[in-house]
Amino acid sequence: MITRATLSSQVTNFDINVFKPRIELRLRLKNATTKVVVAVGLNIVIKDAFGDEVVNQNGKLDITIPVGQEADGTSFYYWEDNQFIADDPYSRLIGAVEAGTARTEVRVTRAVYQDGSMVAF
């Protein structure tokens, strides 16, 4: 289960290898099962202040979550500014993210356990 989904904007910063402005999504998940989780499948929806979908995509996240514990993803999702496309996800999200009105809906669709088994939700 997702316990926190944090959207933020990141400006160009060559010191940390960010070469274009981007929107970042970082996740914290909780394992409410009786097995150690080692990966999850996700559906990510991000909406603007009007409730219009800007992003709707599936993804995967390798993450070890012990039984009954929470863990932050070591990797994250991001959408970069493409200066040649005025209607890219970054351009449609930046205002809502900076104003704090963007809403994320992240759903776990699958889980892979340490024993190799997998379950779909």
Side-chain angles (χ1 to χ4, degrees):
M1 138 182 11
I2 305 298
T3 60
R4 186 176 60 225
T6 305
L7 283 170
S8 62
S9 60
Q10 175 67 49
V11 297
T12 300
N13 184 336
F14 296 112
D15 293 335
I16 59 171
N17 296 322
V18 176
F19 302 108
K20 296 180 183 180
R22 66 187 186 197
I23 303 296
E24 297 178 351
L25 172 64
R26 296 181 185 271
L27 300 172
R28 182 173 187 83
L29 294 91
K30 180 175 183 174
N31 181 358
T33 71
T34 59
K35 299 180 182 181
V36 176
V37 171
V38 295
V40 293
L42 304 166
N43 175 252
I44 300 166
V45 176
I46 304 174
K47 297 179 179 181
D48 64 16
F50 295 97
D52 296 331
E53 281 188 8
V54 177
V55 171
N56 186 341
Q57 72 181 60
N58 294 319
K60 299 175 185 175
L61 185 62
D62 292 308
I63 183 171
T64 301
I65 313 170
V67 175
Q69 301 294 311
E70 293 186 5
D72 292 317
T74 55
S75 58
F76 57 92
Y77 291 90
Y78 66 92
W79 298 271
E80 288 183 324
D81 183 19
N82 184 331
Q83 64 183 347
F84 302 108
I85 301 174
D87 196 32
D88 64 340
Y90 173 88
S91 298
R92 291 183 290 146
L93 280 174
I94 188 64
V97 169
E98 290 190 343
T101 58
R103 299 290 171 249
T104 57
E105 299 170 5
V106 182
R107 185 174 61 89
V108 175
T109 58
R110 297 178 292 166
V112 179
Y113 299 106
Q114 192 172 43
D115 66 7
S117 62
M118 182 172 53
V119 64
F121 302 103

